[in-house]
Amino acid sequence: MPRVSAGQTPLYSGTYDCFKKTIKAEGFKGLYKGMGAPLSGIAPIFAISFLGFSVGKKMQQDTPDQKLSAIQLFKAGCLAGVFTTAIMAPGERIKCLLQVQHGHAKPKYSGPIDVIKQLYKEGGVRSIFRGTGATLLRDVPASGVYFMSYEWLKKATTPAGEDPSKINPLRAIFAGGCAGIVNWLVALPPDVLKSRLQTAPDGLYPNGMRDVLRQVIREEGVGGLFKGLTPVMLRAFPSNAACFLGYEIAYKFLDKIPGL
């Protein structure tokens, strides 16, 4: 949601108000504004994320079957966050710019490709990748707790004597959904800062996230860092539960193919 100047009334009073006004102004398609960029990148992003996690685990293992501690799993997850930033940062910039456009005003951008063209014209490749550092600050710790919490919960909910790596859909759904919630509790404050930085006019925040943080704390308090918590939590459990369930099924399927 765009930043509100002093004395102005917020555009939306909450999640439900945002939902109603978006439907009224733009129809149901307004709920999916800015989804072109993340949809085109979602498959490679998650593939690279799980690859980074696997590489991070192998770097710390002396043998392939060595069990890792929670801290080691966290480190492996952090590496996954580093791996995905190159794709995630420009995709997030494009998505955010499209989402802050409102149906009642003439949009500046007609779609993801138009965003890329205009950003490149205005500031070159650097403009497209604005917010890369902020994306790293969000995704590295968030990915760490994401994978660590999933592996820990999967193990904790496995009955004694049973192999945690054996697929159990309900355990995968529960552990994956909870991991998604933990991930976003860590990721939301830096995500708020990143989104404001990526949608701000050039020169508004010369010192990057430090300037954004100071402004948010000064004008909105610490609560401003958690703006949007409700819709994020509504999405976090089902989307990540499905993600990890799909990962477990795909991993076991591919593991049975000779030569892979």
Side-chain angles (χ1 to χ4, degrees):
M1 184 166 67
R3 186 172 64 87
V4 180
S5 301
Q8 287 186 327
T9 303
L11 184 60
Y12 308 116
S13 61
T15 303
Y16 185 61
D17 185 51
C18 177
F19 175 80
K20 290 193 299 181
K21 288 181 177 178
T22 300
I23 294 294
K24 183 178 180 180
E26 305 175 56
F28 278 98
K29 68 178 182 179
L31 299 174
Y32 296 92
K33 183 184 289 183
M35 285 304 296
L39 277 177
S40 63
I42 194 70
I45 285 172
F46 274 101
I48 292 172
S49 178
F50 281 102
L51 171 65
F53 181 57
S54 178
V55 170
K57 289 193 295 183
K58 289 180 179 179
M59 288 173 64
Q60 302 177 85
Q61 289 175 319
D62 295 322
T63 59
D65 59 347
Q66 179 184 344
K67 302 299 182 183
L68 299 180
S69 67
I71 295 300
Q72 288 174 315
L73 291 170
F74 174 76
K75 292 177 182 178
C78 287
L79 184 63
V82 175
F83 273 40
T84 58
T85 297
I87 298 177
M88 188 73 78
E92 287 280 302
R93 172 109 154 104
I94 294 165
K95 180 194 73 173
C96 289
L97 286 171
L98 288 172
Q99 288 180 334
V100 296
Q101 297 185 133
H102 303 296
H104 61 270
K106 183 178 180 181
K108 180 180 179 180
Y109 307 108
S110 60
I113 301 300
D114 187 45
V115 176
I116 294 173
K117 289 179 179 178
Q118 291 198 43
L119 290 179
Y120 185 79
K121 185 177 180 180
E122 293 169 4
V125 175
R126 183 175 181 178
S127 179
I128 297 173
F129 280 84
R130 183 202 291 179
T132 297
T135 305
L136 272 172
L137 289 174
R138 180 195 68 176
D139 288 352
V140 170
S143 293
V145 298
Y146 183 56
F147 285 104
M148 179 186 70
S149 58
Y150 173 73
E151 294 290 341
W152 182 84
L153 284 167
K154 189 172 68 168
K155 182 179 179 181
T157 55
T158 301
E162 188 174 324
D163 185 1
S165 65
K166 184 179 179 181
I167 292 181
N168 181 292
L170 290 179
R171 285 201 294 267
I173 289 171
F174 174 75
C178 290
I181 290 174
V182 174
N183 168 77
W184 275 106
L185 286 174
V186 174
L188 189 56
D191 184 68
V192 169
L193 301 179
K194 176 200 68 66
S195 297
R196 294 197 182 194
L197 177 64
Q198 289 185 319
T199 57
D202 288 339
L204 182 60
Y205 300 116
N207 295 312
M209 283 186 70
R210 287 178 295 171
D211 285 348
V212 185
L213 177 61
R214 281 194 289 263
Q215 184 182 70
V216 171
I217 296 298
R218 183 177 66 249
E219 297 181 0
E220 304 173 50
V222 177
L225 297 173
F226 290 90
K227 186 169 288 185
L229 180 65
T230 299
V232 166
M233 290 297 106
L234 289 174
R235 180 189 68 178
F237 190 96
S239 62
N240 289 283
C243 173
F244 273 107
L245 178 62
Y247 164 75
E248 293 287 1
I249 293 173
Y251 185 86
K252 294 301 179 184
F253 173 76
L254 293 174
D255 196 43
K256 293 179 180 179
I257 301 177
L260 288 181

